[in-house]
Amino acid sequence: MRLAELQTPCALIERSVLERNVATMARRMAELGVSLRPHVKTHKCAEIARRQGGFQGDAGGITVSTLAEARFFAGHGFRDITWALPLDPERLAAVAELQRGLEGLHLLLDDPAVLAAVEAFGSAHGVRFSVFLEVDCGYHRSGVDPGLGEAFELARRLAESPVVEFRGLLTHAGHAYRCQGAAELEAVAEEERSVTAGFAAELRAQGVPVPVVSVGSTPTMSRVRDLSGVDEVRPGNYVFYDLHQEAIGSCRRRDIALSVLATVVGCYPQSGRLVLNAGALALSKDRGAEHVEGFRGYGALLTADGSRVLDHLRLTGLSQEHGHVQSFPPERAAELPVGSRVRILPNHSCLTAALHEDYVVVDGDEVIETWRPVRGW
Amino acid sequence: MRLAELQTPCALIERSVLERNVATMARRMAELGVSLRPHVKTHKCAEIARRQGGFQGDAGGITVSTLAEARFFAGHGFRDITWALPLDPERLAAVAELQRGLEGLHLLLDDPAVLAAVEAFGSAHGVRFSVFLEVDCGYHRSGVDPGLGEAFELARRLAESPVVEFRGLLTHAGHAYRCQGAAELEAVAEEERSVTAGFAAELRAQGVPVPVVSVGSTPTMSRVRDLSGVDEVRPGNYVFYDLHQEAIGSCRRRDIALSVLATVVGCYPQSGRLVLNAGALALSKDRGAEHVEGFRGYGALLTADGSRVLDHLRLTGLSQEHGHVQSFPPERAAELPVGSRVRILPNHSCLTAALHEDYVVVDGDEVIETWRPVRGW
C-alpha cells in the first residue's frame, strides 16, 4: 500500500526516524551507564515498547502513566513496570491483583497519609508493594522537597515499613519543557541528577538504603552529559519528538517521527486561507513551546511526502475537525487546491498520538503496517 | 451503583441537566418555527441523539462531522444525515455506498472544482448526491461569500447539475464563539439568519430554487429571537454546554451537563498546590473563552457531588495525566487531602467528551447507565 492510498486524517510514524531515535537514546544511556526504562505513555503501543527494550538486549522495564497501560503492557509480556503517577490509594486492590503476574509493579508516593493507606491495605491483605519516594527536583508539580526533614523522615519510614519494598527515589524534571537551548537543558539535567542523587547519598549516609535513583525526561536525557549516581532514566517522548522538543533544543526537525496526514478541503486564495480535514481531534490543542520567540500555531506543514517544509503556511487555528491555515502571501494558497494533501508535524506528539485509534507506520512512500495503542485509565 | 464507587477519571453526564437542555432547545426552535437537526459531534452517541430527535416527535435528521459518525448513526437507525464538513472528493465512493441505505446523506461544498469532481463521479457511477452550498456568514472559515457573483454562479450550477440534488444553503456562525453577552450573540444570530436567508431570497428571485436554509450554532441558537426565512438549525454543544458557552452568555453555570470526576493524588498545602489524576487526556487543552476578561485555566472545580463551586481553586495547568491546581489562599489546599474527589467542568465539552471511551450517566448520587460514543474518521 502507498501513502496516497491512506484515508485522512491519520497518524503516520516514519519507521526509520522512530528507529533512529530509539537507537540513539539507547546508545547514549548505555554510554552514560544507566538503565533505560522508557515512559511508554507517549505511544502506548507494544510494538514501540519492544523496540525500545530490544536495544538493551532484554524485554526491559517500562514506565506507564495509567493502570490501563500497565494492564495492556503486562498482557503483552512486559513484566517490570513503574506506574509514574502519584498513587491513588483507591487503586491498591487493582494494583495488588495486577502485580501478582509481574516481576515488579512499582508505585510512587510523596505523602505520609498515602503510605499509611498502603500499609493498612498491605497488612489487611497480606500484600507487599514496591514503592518509590517521589522527589521534587525543581518542577514543583509533585514530590517531596528533599531539603525538608519530613522528606528524610518519609524515606526512612518507607525503608522500614514491613509491607513496603522501598524501591528508591524518582523524579521528573518537567521544568525542562520551559527551557530554551542546549545550555539550559543541560543545567536542568544536572539539577535533576544532583538533587536526586544528592538526596540518595544523604539517605545512605544516614543508614537508609536507596536501591534505585530514577530520573529523566526527554529534554534532559537528550542533552545530559553526566548521570553519576543515577541508576535508571525514563524519557518517553523521544521516540517521536515534536515541535516543542525542537523549539527547546531536544532534537532537530528531522528527528520528528510522528505526523498527521491531512487533506485540503477548502481553498480560498483571495483571502489566503486553506481548510484541512484535521482539527483539534486529530492534533490536540496543545500550543507547544509558547515561551520560545517565534513559536506559534498548532503544527508545522510539510508536503505530503514529508520532504519539504511549507514555510509560507501557518496552522493558525483548530476547530473540532477543521484545521485553519493562513498563507503568506495569500495567493500561494492556490498551490494547494481541494484534494491536495499535507503532512502536519505536531506541537506535542504524546497528545496527538493519543487521539488516534491506530498509527500507520510508513517508510517513505510505503505503508508498512498499523499499530494500535491502548487508551483510557 | 453510587457516584463514590466510580473509578476516576471519568466523564459524567447529569441526566436531568442534559434532558432539560435538550427539551429547552427543542421547545425554542419549535416556537421559532424551524426544524432542529442537531449536530451530534458534541457527544457522538446514539442515546443522546435519540433524545434530541424524540422531542420533535420523529427519529429526526442529524448533523455529523465525520463519515465515521455518519456510519455509526446510520447503524443506529438514523436515516437522514448531513455531513457538515467541506467534502473531500476522495470520499465520494464511501459516501455513495453509505447513502444507499439512507433517506438522505447531504454533503457540503463551496468550490466549483469540487462540484466538477462530484459530477464526474456521479456520471461515471450513475449516482446522485444531495449537496448544500456552504455560505460564509462572517466566520471566514469556509463557505462562499454571498456578495460575490461566483457564489451565485455556483448555486445556479448546483441547481442545474444533472447529478446533484441541490439541497440549499448552509452556514455556521463560528464567530459567535468570540462574542461576549446576549446582545452580541443576538447580533451574530441575526447576521447568520439575514445573510443566509437573504442570499436564498436573491437566488429564488433569479429562478434558482433553494429548498432548505440551514443555520445555527449553540451560541446563536441559545439567544436567537427571529428565524424568518430559515428552515432548519444545527446546534450541537447545547446538550452539554461548557465554561466557554457560559462565559460568552449562551448558558448558565447550572446548565453544564458534562463534567469529569477526578481524584486528588497530590496535596501540598505549604505551596497551595494540588495534583489531580485528570490531565490533558481527560480534559483537553482547550483554553476556552480567553477573550473574556477573567476567564482562565483549564476547567472549574466543584465538590464531587457537583453541589458547590470551589472558587478558591484554579486549574492552572495540565500535564498528560496530571491536573495542576493552585489554592488561594494556599493553606486551603489541605481541605482536599489525597483521595478526595472533585468534579471538573470543562472549557470545551465537545473536546473533553471525545477523550472518553464511555460517558457515565448520573442522577445526583446514582449511576444510571453508561453510553459509548463513536470516534475516528
Side-chain angles (χ1 to χ4, degrees), chain A residues 7 41 90-91 110 140-142 268 273 275 285-287 290 319-321 341 375 377, chain B residues 7 41 90 110 140-142 268 273 275 285-287 290 319-321 341 375 377:
Chain A
Q7 182 187 300
K41 76 177 179 70
E90 287 193 10
R91 307 303 293 274
D110 62 8
H140 308 321
R141 180 177 70 180
S142 49
Y268 315 93
R273 290 179 292 115
V275 171
K285 291 194 82 165
D286 197 292
R287 295 205 197 153
E290 288 183 289
S319 311
Q320 185 164 336
E321 299 291 352
R341 289 180 166 207
R375 278 170 166 167
W377 297 275
Chain B
Q7 183 186 300
K41 77 177 179 68
E90 288 194 9
D110 62 8
H140 307 322
R141 180 178 70 181
S142 49
Y268 315 93
R273 290 179 293 112
V275 171
K285 291 193 85 166
D286 197 292
R287 295 207 197 153
E290 287 184 288
S319 312
Q320 185 163 335
E321 299 291 352
R341 290 179 164 206
R375 279 168 164 169
W377 299 274

Side-chain angles (χ1 to χ4, degrees), chain B residues 90-160:
Chain B
E90 288 194 9
R91 307 303 292 276
L92 279 168
V95 167
E97 188 182 329
L98 181 58
Q99 74 179 11
R100 260 185 245 135
L102 297 176
E103 285 167 26
L105 180 54
H106 316 294
L107 310 173
L108 258 64
L109 64 78
D110 62 8
D111 188 321
V114 178
L115 174 55
V118 169
E119 290 183 321
F121 186 99
S123 301
H125 297 85
V127 192
R128 283 175 64 84
F129 294 100
S130 172
V131 180
F132 277 104
L133 176 62
E134 187 177 5
V135 174
D136 180 3
C137 69
Y139 181 28
H140 307 322
R141 180 178 70 181
S142 49
V144 295
D145 179 344
L148 298 179
E150 58 205 61
F152 198 97
E153 201 41 51
L154 185 52
R156 184 189 295 280
R157 279 190 55 196
L158 279 162
E160 292 172 356

Side-chain angles (χ1 to χ4, degrees), chain A residues 5-226:
Chain A
E5 298 168 62
L6 290 170
Q7 182 187 300
T8 63
C10 67
L12 302 180
I13 296 174
E14 274 289 353
R15 186 176 64 176
S16 61
V17 181
L18 172 80
E19 292 185 343
R20 188 178 70 222
N21 292 343
V22 165
T24 301
M25 184 63 77
R27 190 182 62 242
R28 292 199 73 229
M29 295 305 107
E31 286 168 5
L32 289 165
V34 295
S35 293
L36 179 57
R37 181 185 285 272
H39 206 318
V40 300
K41 76 177 179 70
T42 296
H43 52 77
K44 303 188 185 219
C45 86
E47 291 83 352
I48 299 180
R50 280 194 205 105
R51 280 168 171 76
Q52 290 175 283
F55 283 92
Q56 291 204 296
D58 58 31
I62 58 170
T63 309
V64 301
S65 64
T66 65
L67 264 187
E69 287 167 41
R71 282 196 197 95
F72 173 84
F73 285 95
H76 282 82
F78 293 81
R79 318 232 59 77
D80 184 8
I81 299 174
T82 297
W83 182 22
L85 198 82
L87 176 66
D88 168 8
E90 287 193 10
R91 307 303 293 274
L92 279 168
V95 167
E97 188 181 329
L98 181 58
Q99 74 179 10
R100 261 185 242 134
L102 297 176
E103 287 168 24
L105 179 54
H106 316 293
L107 310 173
L108 259 64
L109 64 79
D110 62 8
D111 189 321
V114 177
L115 174 54
V118 169
E119 290 184 320
F121 186 99
S123 301
H125 297 85
V127 192
R128 283 175 64 84
F129 294 101
S130 172
V131 179
F132 277 105
L133 177 61
E134 187 176 5
V135 174
D136 180 4
C137 70
Y139 181 27
H140 308 321
R141 180 177 70 180
S142 49
V144 295
D145 178 346
L148 298 179
E150 57 205 61
F152 198 97
E153 200 41 50
L154 185 53
R156 184 189 296 279
R157 281 191 53 195
L158 279 161
E160 292 173 355
S161 169
V163 305
V164 164
E165 185 194 329
F166 181 42
R167 179 80 179 170
L169 304 180
L170 180 148
T171 198
H172 172 64
H175 51 313
Y177 284 83
R178 300 190 290 255
C179 285
Q180 189 173 356
E184 287 183 29
L185 288 176
E186 281 174 38
V188 173
E190 174 53 18
E191 181 186 20
E192 177 183 37
R193 184 202 69 77
S194 63
V195 166
T196 319
F199 185 38
E202 276 177 56
L203 285 165
R204 289 168 182 145
Q206 299 292 319
V208 180
V210 180
V212 175
V213 172
S214 178
V215 310
S217 64
T218 285
T220 54
M221 293 306 100
S222 295
R223 290 295 180 179
V224 69
R225 291 163 177 274
D226 174 21

Side-chain angles (χ1 to χ4, degrees), chain B residues 2 29 33 89 107 116 138 162 198 215 230-231 236 251 255 264 282 295 322 344:
Chain B
R2 301 282 150 191
M29 295 306 108
L107 310 173
V215 310
V230 167
D231 299 291
C251 70
D255 298 324
V264 174
F295 194 98
H322 301 69
I344 308 167

